[in-house]
């Protein structure tokens, strides 16, 4: 779930949950009010508006008292009648006051207060609702003036210490306000906590991962805790950590390779240089006391110099390939005609060394591929020269064959040399690797020939591999694409 959706849902929850809880609170308070009214006014208020029921009861009691006085005004001075009227108003939690002229004949205990007596309205032949407030928060709800049989001015007052509305508004209004504040605080607090927890926890995890990376601890995996934007950030962070780790490991490997490269160069250059130095010292010391011996020494020095020159050339070529600084010029060409030209050029040198070179084609038809002519020739030369070095039979035979596939062509070079041991075979494309553990100079070479071939083949978008049976011969095969979108890669 995205953070935007989560925030939207949290906002909706902050609105809906308080509304639901407030609704439940209002419902609960409503039933509490009903129970209070039922308990205090002793009426059946299970149907209709409870306040209306109380008001109707008040009106009914008032009309009953007024009818009794209208029928017999003298009954207002009868203590027995007072008790009956008191029982009526007491049912609705109210009180009664009977006044004659300025004298109070009867007053309910709940209304007996000096402030109330002093603030009663004067006689005015008024009858009906008053809804007026007296001192000390007493209320007169009904007022009826009449004349006693002896001509005295009589008044009946029905009132209460508080109105129903004010009484229950204050009591349950405070409860509702407290519940409302508690609901808002708890709901917003809970939603804020949940949202902050869902956001802060993964952010802190990312912060810890950043600290680990800063300290160089790249083995600790960053695991996304959710599928939202922060989870996507954690995935990207993990990808960055993994690539950074791979980059550092690659850099470490490059450093190790550099050290190994320096060691190998030093070893491979030292052997011919030492030989040259020895032969030159022999010439200087007069060891070459004959022309034939002098010529042999000079020829050896020249041969070692050629080896050094070729080694430096191959090292320079490999370095440019490894750094991707060597430009390639790809073009569409006929592989059949190209291989015929290459074999024809190499056959003369091979025959002088007693090696038979043959080309086997499944068809003489043109075979279009995309290649760099010069670089691909270097591949063929390096592989065939490697086969010549490890020749162990009087009659050597190198066979070049072609296998066509739907999207690429396989070029194979097979020789009948000494073969490669199975434990050595996986390493023959590594730079400076020779199958001879002693790295003797008997076969010569820099150990970069097949590594260069591999780099060139991979730049063509192909792969290279070898199969060999020790003592019988070796077959090296590589692929060339028939189609390639990138026609050439230039030097950067």
């Amino acid at each position: 779930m995205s953070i935007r959706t989560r925030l939207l849902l949290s906002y909706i929850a902050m609105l809906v949950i308080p509304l639901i809880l407030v609704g439940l609170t209002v419902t609960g308070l409503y039933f509490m009010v009903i129970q209070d009214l039922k308990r205090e006014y002793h009426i059946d208020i299970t149907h209709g508006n409870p306040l209306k029921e109380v008001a109707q009861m008040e009106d009914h009691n008032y009309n009953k008292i007024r009818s009794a006085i209208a029928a017999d005004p003298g009954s207002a001075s009868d203590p027995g009648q007072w008790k009956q009227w008191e029982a009526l108003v007491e049912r609705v939690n109210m009180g009664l006051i009977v006044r004659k002229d300025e004298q109070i004949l009867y007053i309910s205990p709940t209304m007996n207060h000096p402030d109330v007596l002093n603030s009663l309205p004067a006689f005015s032949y008024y009858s009906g609702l008053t809804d007026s407030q007296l001192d000390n928060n007493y209320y007169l709800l009904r007022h009826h003036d009449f004349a006693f049989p002896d001509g005295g001015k009589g008044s009946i007052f029905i009132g209460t210490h508080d109105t129903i509305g004010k009484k229950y508004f204050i009591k349950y209004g405070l409860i509702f306000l407290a519940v409302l504040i508690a609901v808002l605080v708890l709901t917003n607090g809970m939603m804020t906590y949940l949202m902050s927890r869902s956001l802060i926890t993964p952010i802190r995890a990312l912060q810890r991962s950043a600290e680990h990376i800063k300290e160089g601890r790249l083995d600790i995996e960053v695991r996304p805790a959710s599928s939202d934007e922060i989870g996507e950030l954690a995935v990207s962070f993990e990808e960055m950590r993994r690539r950074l780790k791979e980059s550092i490991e690659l850099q470490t490997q490059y450093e190790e390779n550099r050290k190994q490269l320096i060691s190998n160069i030093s070893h491979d250059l030292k052997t011919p240089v030492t030989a040259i130095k020895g032969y030159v010292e022999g010439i200087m010391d007069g060891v070459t006391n004959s022309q034939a011996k002098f010529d042999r020494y000079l020829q050896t020095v020249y041969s070692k110099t050629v080896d050094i020159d070729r080694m430096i050339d191959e090292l320079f070529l490999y370095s440019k390939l490894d750094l991707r600084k060597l430009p390639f010029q790809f073009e569409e060409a006929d592989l059949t005609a190209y291989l015929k030209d290459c074999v024809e050029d190499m056959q003369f040198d091979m025959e002088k060394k007693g090696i038979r070179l043959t080309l086997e084609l499944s068809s003489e038809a043109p075979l279009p591929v995309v290649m760099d002519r010069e670089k691909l020739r270097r591949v063929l030369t390096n592989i065939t020269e490697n086969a010549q070095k490890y020749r162990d039979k009087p009659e050597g035979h190198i066979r070049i064959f072609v296998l066509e596939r739907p999207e690429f062509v396989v070029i194979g070079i097979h020789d009948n040399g000494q073969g490669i041991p199975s434990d050595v075979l996986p390493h023959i494309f590594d730079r400076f690797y020779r199958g001879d553990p002693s790295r003797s100079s008997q076969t010569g070479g820099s150990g970069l020939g097949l590594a260069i071939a591999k780099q060139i083949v991979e730049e063509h978008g192909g792969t290279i591999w070898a199969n060999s049976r020790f003592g019988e011969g070796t077959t090296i095969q590589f692929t060339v694409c028939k189609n390639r979108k990138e026609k050439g890669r230039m030097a950067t």
Side-chain angles (χ1 to χ4, degrees):
M1 184 185 299
S2 66
I3 295 178
R4 178 182 297 179
T5 304
R6 198 182 303 171
L7 288 173
L8 179 61
L9 291 178
S10 68
Y11 292 149
I12 294 175
M14 286 182 182
L15 293 175
V16 173
I17 293 177
L19 289 176
I20 294 175
L21 294 178
V22 168
L24 294 175
T25 301
V26 170
T27 303
L29 292 177
Y30 173 77
F31 285 106
M32 291 174 64
V33 169
I34 289 178
Q35 293 301 319
D36 280 356
L37 290 174
K38 185 176 181 181
R39 182 175 59 255
E40 293 185 14
Y41 296 100
H42 312 290
I43 58 175
D44 183 13
I45 51 176
T46 56
H47 303 288
N49 188 336
L51 296 179
K52 182 179 179 181
E53 293 287 336
V54 173
Q56 289 177 348
M57 174 95 39
E58 292 175 356
D59 191 60
H60 172 74
N61 294 337
Y62 168 73
N63 290 329
K64 190 173 182 179
I65 293 173
R66 192 177 65 171
S67 297
I69 293 175
D72 183 11
S75 63
S77 58
D78 182 8
Q81 190 65 53
W82 297 339
K83 291 182 179 180
Q84 294 180 8
W85 293 345
E86 174 71 21
L88 288 176
V89 299
E90 187 180 17
R91 291 181 58 189
V92 288
N93 202 25
M94 300 182 73
L96 176 69
I97 298 176
V98 180
R99 184 181 67 183
K100 183 177 181 181
D101 295 327
E102 299 299 326
Q103 179 184 3
I104 301 299
L105 300 180
Y106 179 80
I107 183 170
S108 299
T110 58
M111 298 285 290
N112 192 4
H113 195 278
D115 292 338
V116 174
L117 300 177
N118 295 331
S119 58
L120 291 175
F123 180 86
S124 61
Y125 283 108
Y126 175 82
S127 181
L129 296 173
T130 60
D131 197 17
S132 59
Q133 183 174 1
L134 307 179
D135 291 341
N136 202 24
N137 291 330
Y138 283 88
Y139 287 88
L140 291 181
L141 303 180
R142 298 289 188 274
H143 176 197
H144 177 60
D145 292 331
F146 62 95
F148 278 94
D150 58 359
K153 299 176 180 178
S155 297
I156 295 291
F157 303 100
I158 299 175
T160 182
H161 189 270
D162 252 331
T163 62
I164 295 177
K166 181 179 179 182
K167 176 180 179 181
Y168 287 99
F169 175 79
I170 294 175
K171 178 180 179 181
Y172 292 103
L174 292 176
I175 295 175
F176 174 78
L177 182 62
V179 171
L180 179 62
I181 294 174
V183 166
L184 292 176
V185 170
L186 291 176
T187 303
N188 286 273
M190 182 178 297
M191 296 306 300
T192 302
Y193 169 75
L194 293 176
M195 282 301 301
S196 62
R197 178 183 174 186
S198 65
L199 295 177
I200 293 175
T201 300
I203 290 177
R204 285 179 176 172
L206 286 177
Q207 182 183 12
R208 288 193 298 269
S209 300
E211 291 292 332
H212 294 155
I213 292 176
K214 184 178 71 174
E215 296 169 0
R217 301 163 61 188
L218 299 175
D219 294 326
I220 302 177
E221 182 180 357
V222 182
R223 297 182 178 178
S226 59
S227 58
D228 55 14
E229 290 83 352
I230 298 180
E232 294 175 358
L233 177 61
V235 172
S236 301
F237 208 85
E238 168 61 16
E239 180 67 16
M240 179 193 70
R241 180 202 67 84
R242 186 181 61 80
R243 291 191 179 184
L244 182 60
K245 180 182 177 183
E246 292 176 355
S247 177
I248 292 177
E249 290 176 349
L250 184 60
Q251 185 66 30
T252 303
Q253 184 62 41
Y254 279 162
E255 184 64 22
E256 292 296 324
N257 291 344
R258 186 185 65 83
K259 294 178 181 178
Q260 185 66 30
L261 177 62
I262 293 174
S263 175
N264 291 335
I265 292 173
S266 301
H267 181 278
D268 288 336
L269 290 177
K270 186 175 182 180
T271 301
V273 168
T274 301
I276 292 172
K277 181 180 177 182
Y279 281 104
V280 172
E281 287 177 350
I283 295 174
M284 293 173 62
D285 293 340
V287 175
T288 55
N289 50 14
S290 66
Q291 185 64 38
K293 195 171 185 179
F294 177 80
D295 292 341
R296 183 164 56 85
Y297 270 46
L298 196 59
Q299 181 62 38
T300 302
V301 170
Y302 175 76
S303 176
K304 296 299 180 183
T305 305
V306 171
D307 289 342
I308 292 175
D309 183 63
R310 177 166 182 171
M311 188 182 303
I312 293 173
D313 179 61
E314 289 190 341
L315 180 62
F316 182 66
L317 175 61
Y318 182 82
S319 297
K320 293 180 72 173
L321 286 169
D322 196 36
L323 295 174
R324 300 179 67 85
K325 296 292 185 180
L326 187 67
F328 277 71
Q329 299 297 332
F330 293 102
E331 60 178 320
E332 291 186 358
D334 178 13
L335 183 63
T336 302
Y338 175 79
L339 290 177
K340 286 181 178 180
D341 291 340
C342 290
V343 170
E344 184 177 350
D345 290 341
M346 292 188 291
Q347 273 180 337
F348 180 73
D349 292 333
M350 294 284 187
E351 289 176 355
K352 289 195 303 183
K353 298 175 183 179
I355 299 174
R356 183 163 53 95
L357 179 63
T358 59
L359 174 63
E360 297 179 2
L361 298 171
S362 58
S363 173
E364 294 291 334
L367 189 56
V369 296
V370 178
M371 63 179 177
D372 183 315
R373 292 173 176 269
E374 181 184 351
K375 305 301 187 302
L376 197 62
R377 186 180 183 89
R378 187 60 181 259
V379 174
L380 295 173
T381 301
N382 286 4
I383 295 175
T384 54
E385 286 184 353
N386 197 68
Q388 295 176 50
K389 293 175 193 175
Y390 295 96
R391 168 190 171 191
D392 64 344
K393 298 176 177 63
E395 294 183 2
H397 182 203
I398 297 178
R399 179 171 58 93
I400 299 177
F401 59 89
V402 177
L403 301 174
E404 186 178 359
R405 298 291 183 264
E407 296 184 359
F408 57 88
V409 177
V410 179
I411 302 174
I413 297 96
H414 173 76
D415 66 71
N416 63 343
Q418 66 186 33
I420 304 173
S422 58
D423 58 331
V424 174
L425 191 62
H427 306 288
I428 64 172
F429 296 105
D430 297 343
R431 57 186 177 183
F432 292 105
Y433 186 84
R434 294 198 190 106
D436 184 1
S438 64
R439 297 182 61 86
S440 68
S441 60
Q442 190 175 22
T443 57
S446 63
L448 288 172
L450 293 182
I452 291 174
K454 179 183 178 182
Q455 289 276 40
I456 294 175
V457 169
E458 289 179 348
E459 287 292 337
H460 279 74
T463 57
I464 187 169
W465 67 96
N467 298 304
S468 182
R469 303 186 69 174
F470 190 67
E472 297 183 11
T474 301
T475 301
I476 296 179
Q477 301 178 72
F478 62 92
T479 61
V480 180
C481 297
K482 289 184 176 181
N483 298 299
R484 183 184 175 96
K485 292 182 181 179
E486 182 186 4
K487 295 299 182 183
R489 178 178 65 80
M490 300 303 296
T492 56

